[in-house]
Amino acid sequence: MQRAREDRVPFHVAIIMDGNGRWGLGQSLTRSDGHRAGVEALRRTVEAAPGLGVTTLTVFAFSCDNWRRPAAEVATLMELLAAYLARDGQRLVAEGVRLVMLGRRDRLPAGLAAEVAAFEAMSAEGGRMTLRIAFDYSSRAAIAAAARALGPDATLEELDRLIAGPGGSPVDLLIRTGAEKRLSDFLLWECAYAELWFTERLWPQFAPADLEAAVGDFHLRERRFGAIPATAAPRAAA
Ligand code: IPE
Ligand code: IPE
Ligand code: MG
């Protein structure tokens, strides 16, 4: 039987899915072919994640700065989001995956924002995993919007809640593929104590075994959140 969302230890994994363009060109294909192959990698990853204990998966699919790319590539990315929802949306809902979109909606093609809202409503009770897709997303914009909305007396907890958005929480593990080691305006606030994991692998090459390796590595790390190591505590107190 499926365990309820509340019963499980929260484990938030975030992924910067980078390297699609380089993969496409490396295969003597186009950058857009790389994005298409990237959707397959997303599909595999979403399928594998709940089995590895992931309760929230946030993926970076399109940044506000990606508007700087050629119009044809941008159009492909919009079409791929629509196609992903059309092809996988119903199945995800049936499997108990809650879908949440982060980012601006006013620049999405006509109809897509409504489609997104419909899937969010349909999947709202999903307890298997929350899948958050960041699209036309900027973390700095999200932080600035929360600061404006809450005003100067905002508490950290209020900011935490508003910046993280629906289904959001601090990130436990941040993965970036594609050999770059930067955050590119993704979940800056939520990654305050995230463990970081980078791979040379390009996103279309990312396989469930890679996710398993990242999660395995995460479990070997000692998170201290500013305190001293747990093993040293008794002696240090003495
Ligand atoms: C990531 O792959 C997908 C998006 C940014 C939309 P890229 O398109 O950035 O691929 P590279 O980094 O140019 O290879
Ligand atoms: C970050 O990748 C955005 C997504 C993966 C959607 P970019 O490829 O846009 O980031 P930079 O430009 O290399 O920093
Ligand atoms: Mg890139």
Side-chain angles (χ1 to χ4, degrees):
M1 208 179 76
Q2 199 176 94
R3 283 205 280 168
R5 207 153 48 197
E6 308 74 50
D7 293 350
R8 288 174 298 165
V9 182
F11 181 32
H12 185 178
V13 174
I15 307 182
I16 301 174
M17 308 185 289
D18 196 22
N20 291 349
R22 278 166 283 161
W23 183 87
L25 298 179
Q27 302 291 118
S28 304
L29 299 167
T30 63
R31 291 183 54 86
S32 288
D33 290 319
H35 295 311
R36 275 186 275 278
V39 176
E40 297 304 321
L42 174 62
R43 202 165 266 140
R44 296 193 289 270
T45 303
V46 170
E47 204 166 303
L52 293 167
V54 179
T55 53
T56 303
L57 179 68
T58 306
V59 295
F60 204 5
F62 188 83
S63 78
C64 290
D65 292 320
N66 288 149
W67 286 102
R68 301 167 72 183
R69 297 181 179 205
E73 182 174 339
V74 170
T76 298
L77 288 162
M78 301 281 165
E79 283 161 22
L80 285 174
L81 173 63
Y84 178 72
L85 292 178
R87 204 182 125 184
D88 288 46
Q90 294 288 359
R91 187 176 48 79
L92 292 174
V93 173
E95 289 173 357
V97 174
R98 177 186 175 195
L99 185 79
V100 173
M101 295 283 297
L102 304 180
R104 288 178 66 160
R105 309 220 173 164
D106 59 311
R107 299 191 286 194
L108 296 179
L112 187 52
E115 193 80 349
V116 161
F119 276 115
E120 285 179 329
M122 241 189 288
S123 69
E125 298 305 314
R128 183 165 157 78
M129 183 176 79
T130 299
L131 171 64
R132 307 194 319 151
I133 302 179
F135 200 96
D136 202 358
Y137 171 85
S138 153
S139 180
R140 281 172 302 163
I143 293 167
R148 272 195 303 274
L150 292 169
D153 297 326
T155 64
L156 261 184
E157 289 71 26
E158 288 169 331
L159 282 161
D160 269 339
R161 214 171 320 115
L162 205 58
I163 292 168
S169 57
V171 172
D172 296 299
L173 169 64
L174 176 90
I175 295 170
R176 183 171 186 145
T177 61
E180 312 292 359
K181 296 190 176 74
R182 55 178 172 253
L183 293 178
S184 304
D185 202 9
F186 185 51
L187 303 177
L188 304 178
W189 179 282
E190 297 91 321
C191 281
Y193 275 99
E195 297 294 329
L196 311 180
W197 195 86
F198 300 102
T199 174
E200 304 271 307
R201 243 180 230 283
L202 305 171
W203 177 247
Q205 301 170 318
F206 194 78
D210 298 307
L211 181 64
E212 205 177 330
V215 168
D217 191 39
F218 169 83
H219 287 303
L220 294 176
R221 301 200 192 172
E222 186 184 47
R223 304 181 80 191
R224 300 196 193 115
F225 299 99
I228 59 171
T231 46
R235 243 187 310 154

